Amino acid sequence: MPVPDFLLALRDHVGHGLLPLVGVTAVVIGGNGDILLHRRADDGRWATPGGILEPGEQPARAVVREVKEETGLDVEVERLVSVVGQEPHIYPNGDRAQFLDLAFRCRAVGGEPDAGGDETLEVRWFAPDALPDMPPRILDRIANAQANAPAPYFLV
């Protein structure tokens, strides 16, 4: 996955130290209830599209941008579905980050599935009962988006 320039500059100053970052995730649900996933180029695993919020960027705009970059689809944000601090993650190069993930329920409004970028190997719609093996945090985001709760999910 490409690292944003602002983050590369920040890493020059802090090295591999733990950085708190804001991530955005899209749970794109089709009209028939299918879930849009992409197979990541960095680890080959299926996931919901998403990425890092850049300085000055609004979260809902960021998630729309990330879906377009990773899947080729244009989406409209319907609502915020969860706000969750993830466990710290260590990347292969030793960089450490802890994400505050803002997950949004979205619907596709245009474009065609396209895995032509450098972040994605494949783009597919999956029936909710036929999702591939994914980490619990991703399955939780999907469940929260499907729940249609009146307020976003968060831990206390």
Side-chain angles (χ1 to χ4, degrees):
M1 294 296 200
V3 178
D5 290 338
F6 85 90
L7 193 49
L8 292 173
L10 187 55
R11 283 284 178 206
D12 283 342
H13 293 287
V14 299
H16 297 300
L18 182 65
L19 290 179
L21 299 171
V22 177
V24 293
T25 301
V27 179
V28 184
I29 301 179
N32 61 355
D34 286 356
I35 307 296
L36 180 72
L37 299 176
H38 77 117
R39 196 159 58 85
R40 297 170 55 107
D42 61 351
D43 63 10
R45 298 175 76 182
W46 287 100
T48 46
I52 297 171
L53 183 69
E54 297 186 7
E57 192 173 29
Q58 290 296 322
R61 289 187 187 141
V63 82
V64 169
R65 173 184 55 77
E66 287 289 347
V67 173
K68 183 69 171 182
E69 289 174 4
E70 295 177 356
T71 72
L73 293 178
D74 298 311
V75 297
E76 184 175 276
V77 172
E78 293 181 336
R79 66 185 180 85
L80 179 66
V81 297
S82 65
V83 178
V84 177
Q86 303 294 319
E87 294 295 319
H89 179 76
I90 301 175
Y91 290 91
N93 69 354
D95 287 353
R96 296 182 305 138
Q98 182 172 16
F99 286 92
L100 171 64
D101 182 72
L102 307 175
F104 295 88
R105 179 181 169 136
C106 301
R107 65 182 180 89
V109 295
E112 293 293 326
D114 178 14
D118 59 354
E119 298 181 71
T120 300
L121 300 173
E122 188 177 353
V123 178
R124 257 180 63 195
W125 291 95
F126 287 86
D129 61 353
L131 295 173
D133 183 41
M134 294 183 288
R137 73 181 188 285
I138 296 174
L139 296 172
D140 289 346
R141 291 174 189 148
I142 293 170
N144 289 328
Q146 293 169 317
N148 288 321
Y153 170 84
F154 54 90
L155 295 171
V156 290

